[in-house]
């Protein structure tokens, strides 16, 4: 097939898939960029021309993160309109191609957030996932934090947390004390109906409470929170 014809077909597929698909995130790479929409992942060159894409339909991407080398994309897949995702998946984005690398067969974790961090400072990437499920010693549905290790070829469980010190609704990872190791920042519920922001340090077997950063707040996410200044950006 003529290369021009291939380009036209690729462009048409991308147009149809992005027409009703919201942009989730964009990542800059040495070769161009990676655009993640709800139902399609697009690789583009430095000039912005699409070079490859993959459609995830009927699954919808609700959240994603990428490894530091921009070679693997970690996503949450779910049903359109659902409040949480159904499973995790990894897509390879190296060498100008995007293709499914791995997909989780477990569909009972209800993942709702995913981010990448080095939680223990060992220079190896960890994939951190907020899930909504029951736990063995806390048999009710609630938000949990699962940590997976990624060695560049496979993903495997590192810490399947049953709960933090209090129920939480959002989380992030930031180095707040300047030791070059990130702390877990959690937005937790208080008994008085307000929220608090608390930090945790990794202690080899899990997370240990470190510092309370704010109390008695109404914010429902950490989107604009600056943990070093302990305040929300206006």
């Amino acid at each position: 097939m003529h290369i021009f014809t291939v380009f036209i077909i690729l462009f048409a597929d991308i147009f149809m898939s992005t027409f009703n698909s919201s942009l989730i995130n964009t990542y800059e790479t040495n070769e161009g960029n990676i655009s993640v929409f709800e139902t399609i992942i697009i690789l583009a060159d430095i000039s912005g021309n699409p070079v490859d894409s993959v459609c995830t339909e009927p699954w919808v991407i609700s959240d994603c993160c990428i490894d530091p080398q921009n070679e693997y994309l970690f996503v949450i897949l779910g049903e359109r309109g659902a409040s949480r995702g159904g499973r995790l998946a990894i897509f390879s984005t190296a060498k100008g191609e995007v293709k499914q690398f791995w997909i989780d067969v477990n569909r009972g974790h209800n993942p709702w957030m995913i981010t990448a961090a080095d939680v223990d400072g060992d220079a190896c990437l960890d994939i951190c996932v907020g899930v909504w499920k029951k736990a063995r010693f806390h048999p009710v549905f609630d938000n949990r934090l699962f940590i997976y290790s990624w060695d560049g070829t496979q993903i495997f469980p590192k810490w399947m947390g049953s709960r933090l010190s209090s129920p939480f609704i959002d989380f992030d990872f930031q180095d707040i004390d300047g030791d070059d190791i990130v702390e877990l920042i959690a937005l937790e519920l208080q008994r008085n109906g307000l929220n608090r922001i608390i930090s945790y340090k990794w202690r080899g077997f899990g997370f240990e409470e470190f510092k309370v950063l704010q109390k008695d707040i109404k914010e429902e996410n950490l989107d604009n929170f600056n943990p070093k200044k302990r305040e929300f950006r206006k």
Side-chain angles (χ1 to χ4, degrees):
M1 186 179 295
H2 194 278
I3 188 170
F4 180 75
T5 304
V6 172
F7 179 81
I8 292 297
I9 293 174
L10 175 62
F11 183 82
D13 288 343
I14 290 173
F15 177 80
M16 293 301 296
S17 297
T18 59
F19 185 74
N20 291 315
S21 186
S22 300
L23 179 67
I24 303 298
N25 212 333
T26 300
Y27 304 96
E28 299 296 327
T29 71
N30 292 331
E31 293 77 27
N33 64 71
I34 304 169
S35 297
V36 183
F37 292 83
E38 286 181 319
T39 57
I40 190 170
I41 302 168
I42 304 171
L43 299 188
D45 61 22
I46 296 177
S47 299
N49 299 315
V51 296
D52 198 17
S53 67
V54 64
C55 180
T56 63
E57 290 181 323
W59 298 100
V60 174
I61 299 173
S62 59
D63 199 12
C64 61
C65 63
I66 201 165
D67 75 310
Q69 290 73 40
N70 297 320
E71 293 183 346
Y72 292 95
L73 185 70
F74 306 85
V75 307
I76 294 176
L77 297 176
E79 297 179 358
R80 186 178 293 277
S83 58
R84 302 175 184 87
R87 59 171 65 179
L88 303 179
I90 303 174
F91 290 86
S92 170
T93 57
K95 299 179 181 179
E97 295 182 327
V98 54
K99 54 187 177 181
Q100 183 177 297
F101 179 80
W102 171 86
I103 190 165
D104 193 359
V105 296
N106 191 325
R107 296 177 60 181
H109 290 169
N110 306 305
W112 50 271
M113 179 177 173
I114 188 169
T115 189
D118 178 7
V119 303
D120 54 5
D122 65 353
C124 295
L125 190 68
D126 300 305
I127 307 303
C128 313
V129 184
V131 302
W132 188 71
K133 67 182 298 292
K134 295 180 179 179
R136 179 179 179 184
F137 298 108
H138 187 225
V140 297
F141 279 98
D142 206 350
N143 289 336
R144 322 282 179 188
L145 179 60
F146 282 8
I147 308 294
Y148 297 89
S149 292
W150 168 253
D151 65 2
T153 59
Q154 60 181 339
I155 189 171
F156 48 92
K158 180 172 187 170
W159 185 73
M160 306 285 101
S162 58
R163 61 189 305 179
L164 301 177
S165 58
S166 297
F168 70 98
I169 56 176
D170 199 7
F171 67 92
D172 193 10
F173 287 88
Q174 298 283 342
D175 178 13
I176 65 171
D177 60 358
D179 65 351
D180 295 326
I181 300 176
V182 296
E183 282 76 44
L184 166 63
I185 313 297
L187 180 61
E188 298 182 344
L189 304 178
Q190 297 179 167
R191 293 183 178 180
N192 63 0
L194 298 175
N195 301 328
R196 71 173 185 174
I197 301 175
I198 185 170
S199 60
Y200 295 84
K201 278 187 172 292
W202 178 263
R203 296 303 189 191
F205 53 86
F207 290 98
E208 181 180 276
E209 186 176 323
F210 181 45
K211 292 180 179 179
V212 175
L213 304 181
Q214 278 201 8
K215 297 174 65 176
D216 300 321
I217 60 175
K218 296 181 179 180
E219 280 77 8
E220 297 182 350
N221 60 65
L222 295 171
D223 291 351
N224 296 314
F225 183 66
N226 185 328
K228 292 185 178 180
K229 293 185 177 181
R230 302 189 183 187
E231 64 184 16
F232 283 88
R233 294 181 290 270
K234 296 182 180 179

